[in-house]
Amino acid sequence: MRTKLKITEGIFPMPVLMVATYNEDGSVNVMNAAWGTMQERDTVALNLTETHKTVQNIKARGAFTVSIADAAHMVEADYFGVESGNKVADKFARSGLTASKAETVDAPVINEFPICLECKFIEYQNNEYGCGVIGKVVNVTADESVMVDGKIDMSKVNAIAFDPYTHGYYKVTERVGEAFHDGLKLKSNNYAAGAFLLFLCGFQSKSDFKSDFIRFSFVYLLFRRFVAHIQQHFDLFVRNTIVQGYGDPTCFAHVISGKESTLPQ
C-alpha cells in the first residue's frame, strides 16, 4: 500500500550548491541553491529567480562558481540560504569562511568547500519552462584533502544532500556500487532465464516439430548469452580504458550509446 504525499518537488537527493559571485564593490556573495544540475557534460543550470543578488552579480560579472557543500560546513551553507545578499551585503564575511579568486573566471572560490566548478555565464532563461542561469564549466578544482592517488575520493568529500520532504541535510559518503558496470551482469542473466524456461517447456513437448523448435531456440539463446557475456567484458574493458585514460566515467556512457563525446585530445 502506498501513501499519497502532498508534495511535488520530490526528487531526492537534491544537491546543496554554494553559488559564489562578486558584488559591485568586489566583496563576496554566496547563496545556497538546491535546484541546480548538470544540463550537459560541461553546462550547469541553476533555477534561480532574477530577484536574487546572485543572479544580478552573475549578469554583471559574466561568471560564477559552484561549490559542493560538505558536512563540516553545514551551518555556514545553511546560513547562505536563509540570509539574503540584497539585505545583508556582508553576509559572507559574517560566515567566517574565506575566499580566493578563481583561476579562470571573475568569481570567488570558497576555500573551505572541497570541490568547486568555475563557470562562465551563458544566458538567463526566463520563459515559462526556462532553467534560469545557464553556465559553461571551464575549470574544476578540488582540495588536496579529498584526493587519493590523483583522483577524488567522494567518501572524503562528505558532501551533504538536501531532503525536500522534511527539509533536512544528509551526508553522502558510502560507495555502494560501480556505475556502468554492476548492471551489466543482468544483460546475460536475462538470456539465461529465457533459455531455462524454454528448456523446461521442452520436457512437456510431444511433437517432434515443437521439440526441434524448442531445442533450436534453446541453443540460440545460449549463443546469445555467450555473446552477451563477451559484450559485458568488452564494455568493462572500454569503461576501464576511458576511466584510466581520461578520468571521466561519463565518457563510457557516450561510447556505449553511440553519442558524440568531446574526449580530451
Side-chain angles (χ1 to χ4, degrees), residues 12-16 68-72 114-115 146 152-163 168-176:
F12 175 82
M14 294 186 75
V16 183
I68 307 299
D70 61 346
I115 301 176
V146 301
I152 288 182
D153 184 342
M154 292 306 296
S155 65
K156 293 181 177 294
V157 173
N158 280 321
I160 56 176
F162 172 65
D163 160 28
Y169 292 116
Y170 293 82
K171 285 201 300 184
V172 182
T173 55
E174 183 181 0
R175 189 185 188 99
V176 298

Side-chain angles (χ1 to χ4, degrees), residues 31 50 121 175:
M31 75 166 293
E50 293 180 279
F121 176 56
R175 189 185 188 99

Side-chain angles (χ1 to χ4, degrees), residues 14-79:
M14 294 186 75
V16 183
L17 306 176
M18 301 291 101
V19 186
T21 57
Y22 283 126
N23 294 317
E24 299 91 335
D25 60 1
S27 60
V28 176
N29 180 71
V30 185
M31 75 166 293
N32 182 328
W35 290 9
T37 187
M38 298 300 302
Q39 189 182 58
E40 291 287 346
R41 291 185 60 206
D42 62 350
T43 308
V44 297
L46 303 174
N47 190 6
L48 307 176
T49 64
E50 293 180 279
T51 57
H52 286 292
K53 180 63 175 176
T54 294
V55 175
Q56 298 168 20
N57 290 345
I58 289 174
K59 290 182 174 182
R61 296 275 182 164
F64 59 98
T65 63
V66 178
S67 294
I68 307 299
D70 61 346
H73 303 94
M74 180 273 296
V75 173
E76 292 87 346
D78 190 60
Y79 169 70

Side-chain angles (χ1 to χ4, degrees), residues 12-257:
F12 175 82
M14 294 186 75
V16 183
L17 306 176
M18 301 291 101
V19 186
T21 57
Y22 283 126
N23 294 317
E24 299 91 335
D25 60 1
S27 60
V28 176
N29 180 71
V30 185
M31 75 166 293
N32 182 328
W35 290 9
T37 187
M38 298 300 302
Q39 189 182 58
E40 291 287 346
R41 291 185 60 206
D42 62 350
T43 308
V44 297
L46 303 174
N47 190 6
L48 307 176
T49 64
E50 293 180 279
T51 57
H52 286 292
K53 180 63 175 176
T54 294
V55 175
Q56 298 168 20
N57 290 345
I58 289 174
K59 290 182 174 182
R61 296 275 182 164
F64 59 98
T65 63
V66 178
S67 294
I68 307 299
D70 61 346
H73 303 94
M74 180 273 296
V75 173
E76 292 87 346
D78 190 60
Y79 169 70
F80 292 140
V82 298
E83 188 71 273
S84 171
N86 286 316
K87 298 178 179 179
V88 180
D90 64 342
K91 78 172 191 177
F92 179 72
R94 296 188 182 191
S95 73
L97 300 185
T98 61
S100 303
K101 191 179 187 306
E103 297 177 7
T104 60
V105 298
D106 187 15
V109 174
I110 312 307
N111 298 322
E112 288 76 10
F113 294 127
I115 301 176
C116 181
L117 287 67
E118 301 177 10
C119 307
K120 289 184 178 179
F121 176 56
I122 296 177
E123 66 174 354
Y124 186 86
Q125 300 178 353
N126 60 358
N127 56 303
E128 183 178 1
Y129 297 106
C131 295
V133 174
I134 307 298
K136 182 178 181 63
V137 180
V138 295
N139 191 35
V140 181
T141 60
D143 189 83
E144 289 297 326
S145 63
V146 301
M147 302 294 294
V148 176
D149 297 329
K151 297 181 180 180
I152 288 182
D153 184 342
M154 292 306 296
S155 65
K156 293 181 177 294
V157 173
N158 280 321
I160 56 176
F162 172 65
D163 160 28
Y165 293 91
T166 64
H167 294 179
Y169 292 116
Y170 293 82
K171 285 201 300 184
V172 182
T173 55
E174 183 181 0
R175 189 185 188 99
V176 298
E178 301 299 320
F180 313 115
H181 172 265
D182 289 354
L184 294 176
K185 63 186 71 173
L186 297 180
K187 293 175 68 174
S188 59
N189 288 347
N190 287 336
Y191 293 124
F196 179 69
L197 289 175
L198 285 174
F199 180 75
L200 292 179
C201 292
F203 283 105
Q204 301 175 4
S205 173
K206 296 181 180 180
S207 167
D208 290 339
F209 174 79
K210 185 177 180 180
S211 297
D212 291 341
F213 176 77
I214 290 175
R215 291 192 192 99
F216 173 79
S217 299
F218 178 68
V219 173
Y220 173 73
L221 286 176
L222 285 179
F223 174 74
R224 289 290 301 271
R225 181 187 178 190
F226 171 76
V227 172
H229 181 73
I230 297 299
Q231 182 66 43
Q232 174 181 344
H233 286 278
F234 173 74
D235 291 351
L236 178 60
F237 168 77
V238 173
R239 174 185 182 275
N240 289 339
T241 299
I242 292 175
V243 172
Q244 292 174 7
Y246 305 110
D248 184 1
T250 60
C251 297
F252 171 72
H254 288 261
V255 171
I256 297 304
S257 65

